[in-house]
Amino acid sequence: MEIIVWAAHVLLAIVLVVLVLLQHGKGADMGAAFGSGSAGSLFGASGSASFLSRATGFVAAMFFATSMSLTYLSVNQTESSTSVMSLMDQAEESENASEVGAEKKSIPDRDQNAPEVESGSKVNQIPE
């Protein structure tokens, strides 16, 4: 479910950017108003909203809705999902448990990496 909302959120963000860039800005009208035309266009007296401005408003509302739903989904996640911090805590706990277990084991008298030697052999023995 969350993946679908993420995909819609990213798609809406791209569409919103494209719609904003396609619209005709008011700054161009103000420059033309000083040279000629009516003073009403200087302060934004315009007719009804165009298709692009209505589409931008709708996409912005949908973007807001997906943002809120992603927030809701992230807050209400179950504890079964693992985060980086919980993995680090588990690793530290297992490391501490293995250190305690290693202290309880008796330390052998001989080296663990030394090869096995027959009792009659004089290899790897300390001379007397």
Side-chain angles (χ1 to χ4, degrees), residues 11 20-21 24 48 56 58 71 75 79 86 92 94 124:
L11 183 68
V20 167
L21 291 176
H24 184 69
S48 63
T56 304
F58 177 74
T71 303
V75 168
E79 292 297 322
S86 65
E92 288 177 1
S94 65
N124 291 335

Side-chain angles (χ1 to χ4, degrees), residues 11 51 62 69 95 128:
L11 183 68
F51 171 75
M62 295 302 294
S69 61
E95 184 178 314
E128 294 178 12

Side-chain angles (χ1 to χ4, degrees), residues 28-110:
D29 290 339
M30 287 174 35
F34 286 115
S36 64
S38 66
S41 65
L42 177 64
F43 298 106
S46 61
S48 63
S50 67
F51 171 75
L52 285 177
S53 63
R54 288 183 186 194
T56 304
F58 177 74
V59 172
M62 295 302 294
F63 183 80
F64 179 75
T66 57
S67 297
M68 296 301 288
S69 61
L70 283 172
T71 303
Y72 177 78
L73 289 173
S74 68
V75 168
N76 292 326
Q77 285 182 343
T78 59
E79 292 297 322
S80 65
S81 64
T82 57
S83 67
V84 174
M85 294 304 292
S86 65
L87 290 175
M88 292 300 293
D89 290 339
Q90 290 173 359
E92 288 177 1
E93 289 174 2
S94 65
E95 184 178 314
N96 291 339
S98 66
E99 288 176 1
V100 170
E103 290 175 3
K104 289 182 180 178
K105 292 181 182 178
S106 64
I107 299 174
D109 292 338
R110 59 190 173 97

Side-chain angles (χ1 to χ4, degrees), residues 115-128:
E116 291 292 325
V117 179
E118 296 178 13
S119 61
S121 175
K122 294 185 180 182
V123 178
N124 291 335
Q125 291 183 354
I126 299 174
E128 294 178 12

